[in-house]
Amino acid sequence: MAVAKILWVDDEMESLQSHIMFLQQKGYEVNALNNGHDAIDFVQQNPIDVVLLDESMPGITGLETLSKIKSINASIPVILVTKNETENLMDEAIGSQINDYLIKPVNPNQVLLSLKKIIDNKRLVAEKTTTAYQQDFRHLFMALNDNPKHQDWIEIYKKLVYWELEMEKADSPEMLEVFQTQKNEANTEFFKYVSKNYADWVSANAVDAPVMSHQLFQFKVLPHFEPGVPTFFILIDNLRYDQWKAIQPIFAESFRILEEDSFFSILPTATQYARNAIFAGLLPIDIEKKFPDLWKNDEDEGGKNLNEEIFIQEQLKRLRKSDLKFSYTKVLNHTQGQDLVNNVHNLLNNDLNVIVYNFVDMLSHARTEMEVLKELASDETSYRSVTRSWFEHSPLYQALKKISDKKIKLIVSTDHGSVRVKNPVKVIGDKQTTTNLRYKHGRNLNYENKDVLAFKDPKLAGLPVPTVNSSYIFAKEDNFLCYPNNYNYYANYYKNTFQHGGISLEEMVVPVIKMISKE
């Protein structure tokens, strides 16, 4: 390991010789200076890992020196050493981006601890994460083999996402490989679980079933209502649970998170099925029966989600909530996002405001088509990063910040997630077979049973029957469905893209988060 280079600046340097010797014995290279001007010159001419900076020095103060050092190299970590504990000083120092501060007289071990926290942080985090995951590995293994029920699967998936995010901080490729194997095993078992139980979940006599898309409003949204308090239901299209965790800290700045819940998306985990089910409060087969003129199958022309406002209205009537004053807003582009920012205060007059925000889905589709986005969102880590960056600067966040000082309730959810597909499998179908990569329906589908969950009778999956003898198949784990024609081209083109419609933890176990304003 390279020797860490420390610059210690203090006008009473002679009294700190024992501290310097202590740090040198611990393997640090320490350069000592007694004024800010020399420190600034030194930083300009030498590479430094950490600056220890006295706050009170004659000539040029510590804070002035700090400002100059940061203008030379903003990334140099600085530890402020001070006799002064006043709140104003601390606010000014923290605002100037110090990494730590110590109160005089300082103990050598205090200094060592602060240096370790800054210099060795990544290594220490990696070691701690590795040890903790090794301890939890067996618990996860046992949970996967203990016949988990739907609530257990939610907890397993949350735990897997937790470790995925911890691995990201630790930057340990070896442990990440072990983790990825365990996550793949979890998806293998989850596919078996869904295959065994899905038909029962969507049947009229469902027992011990998870809350699914068509029950979201009834069981997860409307019970959160409070008379006189506007409720905002925000549906961010195609938002995975790990993407929610990426934007959670931004929400937490303005809102108090009350409950971090989940539900199961219906199959196919695709917008026209899952989102229509959410707003209609019905399975797709029942939407088609009740609204034959409004339901569209995959092969039908025109938009598939154009009647969501009607579906919400009808569901509220059915649930005897038709007295609620509600609004529906769909944001498909930046201009509509700005309209939301400008008009959000007007929504405070409603009991319920439904806002559909379509960005993450556009990102996943655009990523498939555009090389630059393949680079920007090449894996799960960068996909989360792009999502966070978008949300932080989005009109949606601007709009929510404008009303964060009002007494409101906020529910953030999605229709389905997505999975990075890696393994192409062959499917043969006729000209009427749909083109989706994670699910297909058609009359003459030919496939390997081990690769998919098949419903020869769509009604058993709560789905309409598009044509006579039409059946549905759903891809498992990280498979994607390819035709034999130009097989190699499409297998390479779509490999490592984010897709949805099939069966995986990432697509089916999705977040519903309940918040209130902090005011």
Side-chain angles (χ1 to χ4, degrees):
M1 188 185 295
V3 174
K5 296 181 179 180
I6 312 301
L7 173 61
W8 197 331
V9 190
D10 195 304
D11 63 319
E12 299 174 344
M13 211 69 240
E14 64 280 358
S15 66
L16 298 170
Q17 290 307 310
S18 61
H19 293 59
I20 292 172
M21 288 176 62
F22 175 79
L23 293 179
Q24 288 170 336
Q25 289 167 2
K26 294 295 180 181
Y28 296 98
E29 179 186 313
V30 184
N31 300 276
L33 296 172
N34 60 16
N35 67 80
H37 292 294
D38 289 348
I40 293 161
D41 291 340
F42 192 89
V43 169
Q44 281 178 321
Q45 298 167 23
N46 298 277
I48 290 295
D49 293 305
V50 180
V51 177
L52 279 153
L53 183 60
D54 182 23
E55 180 269 323
S56 179
M57 295 184 293
I60 177 171
T61 68
L63 288 179
E64 289 170 328
T65 306
L66 171 64
S67 176
K68 296 281 188 185
I69 288 173
K70 286 292 184 179
S71 69
I72 297 165
N73 185 345
S75 64
I76 293 181
V78 176
I79 301 168
L80 194 69
V81 185
T82 177
K83 292 177 183 173
N84 187 347
E85 295 182 69
T86 64
E87 187 177 347
N88 286 346
L89 173 71
M90 289 300 105
D91 287 348
E92 191 174 348
I94 291 165
S96 301
Q97 297 178 308
I98 62 165
N99 296 77
D100 203 356
Y101 70 90
L102 300 172
I103 306 298
K104 285 188 175 185
V106 291
N107 179 289
N109 279 306
Q110 277 181 291
V111 179
L112 179 66
L113 189 63
S114 187
L115 290 173
K116 275 189 171 294
K117 190 165 64 176
I118 292 169
I119 296 171
D120 294 341
N121 181 58
K122 203 164 191 177
R123 178 181 60 81
L124 295 171
V125 166
E127 289 174 1
K128 184 179 178 184
T129 300
T130 299
T131 303
Y133 176 62
Q134 286 170 336
Q135 292 170 349
D136 211 23
F137 178 92
R138 180 163 173 75
H139 294 140
L140 277 165
F141 176 81
M142 290 172 66
L144 287 172
N145 289 276
D146 195 26
N147 192 27
K149 302 295 187 287
H150 56 83
Q151 190 57 46
D152 301 321
W153 275 112
I154 288 172
E155 295 308 315
I156 287 169
Y157 181 49
K158 284 184 175 181
K159 182 66 81 171
L160 287 168
V161 167
Y162 169 80
W163 283 119
E164 188 166 12
L165 298 176
E166 290 298 298
M167 295 287 173
E168 186 180 308
K169 294 181 208 166
D171 193 22
S172 170
E174 298 79 15
M175 286 310 298
L176 188 58
E177 191 176 335
V178 173
F179 166 79
Q180 196 58 55
T181 301
Q182 189 170 51
K183 188 178 176 186
N184 292 343
E185 288 171 1
N187 261 323
T188 299
E189 294 303 315
F190 184 68
F191 174 77
K192 293 176 187 174
Y193 171 71
V194 173
S195 299
K196 181 180 176 183
N197 293 287
Y198 192 82
D200 290 336
W201 292 344
V202 297
S203 70
N205 304 313
V207 177
D208 193 29
V211 171
M212 302 190 75
S213 306
H214 60 297
Q215 301 157 320
L216 179 65
F217 256 75
Q218 183 177 359
F219 295 118
K220 302 284 189 182
V221 177
L222 294 180
H224 196 54
F225 266 75
E226 183 182 334
V229 181
T231 296
F232 287 76
F233 177 78
I234 316 288
L235 189 144
I236 302 174
D237 192 18
N238 195 13
L239 186 76
R240 293 164 26 142
Y241 178 71
D242 63 323
Q243 289 172 298
W244 153 250
K245 296 303 287 184
I247 62 176
Q248 177 184 349
I250 305 171
F251 271 102
E253 291 173 10
S254 303
F255 297 94
R256 185 168 285 109
I257 297 168
L258 299 180
E259 185 180 8
E260 196 176 75
D261 204 353
S262 296
F263 69 99
F264 278 37
S265 170
I266 63 162
L267 297 175
T269 47
T271 304
Q272 68 210 63
Y273 293 91
R275 200 200 295 165
N276 279 327
I278 287 172
F279 290 140
L282 299 167
L283 288 165
I285 190 172
D286 298 317
I287 301 175
E288 188 198 42
K289 285 177 187 171
K290 191 172 179 62
F291 306 100
D293 297 333
L294 303 183
W295 174 261
K296 288 182 182 289
N297 291 307
D298 289 84
E299 66 279 6
D300 295 334
E301 291 186 8
K304 310 294 192 293
N305 290 83
L306 300 179
N307 301 295
E308 293 166 354
E309 187 171 7
I310 297 171
F311 290 158
I312 300 165
Q313 195 165 19
E314 291 299 315
Q315 180 178 187
L316 290 175
K317 279 184 192 173
R318 201 170 60 254
L319 295 174
R320 296 182 177 151
K321 298 287 185 182
S322 55
D323 56 327
L324 289 178
K325 185 181 179 185
F326 86 96
S327 73
Y328 167 81
T329 306
K330 183 182 282 190
V331 178
L332 298 173
N333 54 52
H334 192 75
T335 301
Q336 292 172 344
Q338 287 304 316
D339 290 342
L340 175 63
V341 174
N342 296 333
N343 297 321
V344 70
H345 274 110
N346 297 330
L347 301 180
L348 294 169
N349 299 319
N350 301 319
D351 301 305
L352 170 65
N353 298 290
V354 174
I355 299 171
V356 175
Y357 211 100
N358 199 39
F359 172 81
V360 181
D361 193 52
M362 288 193 292
L363 172 64
S364 69
H365 289 301
R367 185 199 170 282
T368 301
E369 307 296 334
M370 296 174 64
E371 288 298 324
V372 66
L373 278 174
K374 285 182 183 177
E375 290 293 322
L376 283 173
S378 59
D379 58 16
E380 284 79 2
T381 300
S382 52
Y383 197 35
R384 287 190 289 270
S385 178
V386 171
T387 305
R388 180 188 169 98
S389 181
W390 156 73
F391 180 70
E392 196 166 18
H393 305 286
S394 69
L396 175 59
Y397 184 48
Q398 291 175 40
L400 293 175
K401 277 199 296 186
K402 283 183 76 171
I403 55 172
S404 62
D405 61 339
K406 308 299 181 187
K407 188 176 182 182
I408 64 169
K409 294 197 170 188
L410 185 61
I411 301 173
V412 174
S413 194
T414 189
D415 40 13
H416 55 77
S418 63
V419 66
R420 182 156 62 112
V421 295
K422 300 171 187 172
N423 182 39
V425 297
K426 286 183 182 176
V427 172
I428 299 171
D430 60 22
K431 287 184 179 179
Q432 276 69 49
T433 304
T434 53
T435 58
N436 314 81
L437 294 175
R438 290 285 290 166
Y439 76 98
K440 292 188 184 297
H441 64 76
R443 286 179 298 184
N444 299 300
L445 295 176
N446 199 310
Y447 48 84
E448 292 282 345
N449 284 319
K450 65 180 177 59
D451 294 329
V452 300
L453 169 61
F455 283 96
K456 294 190 183 299
D457 181 358
K459 293 193 290 293
L460 295 177
L463 296 168
V465 183
T467 55
V468 178
N469 297 325
S470 190
S471 59
Y472 277 79
I473 58 171
F474 303 101
K476 71 175 184 177
E477 301 164 38
D478 57 6
N479 290 352
F480 61 106
L481 309 173
C482 285
Y483 297 125
N485 301 346
N486 291 329
Y487 176 81
N488 289 330
Y489 170 78
Y490 287 109
N492 288 321
Y493 185 79
Y494 288 111
K495 189 173 184 178
N496 283 319
T497 61
F498 288 91
Q499 304 293 336
H500 53 82
I503 301 171
S504 67
L505 287 160
E506 293 93 328
E507 290 164 289
M508 285 191 75
V509 181
V510 286
V512 52
I513 314 299
K514 294 161 190 177
M515 296 176 251
I516 56 172
S517 48
K518 286 186 174 178
E519 293 301 317

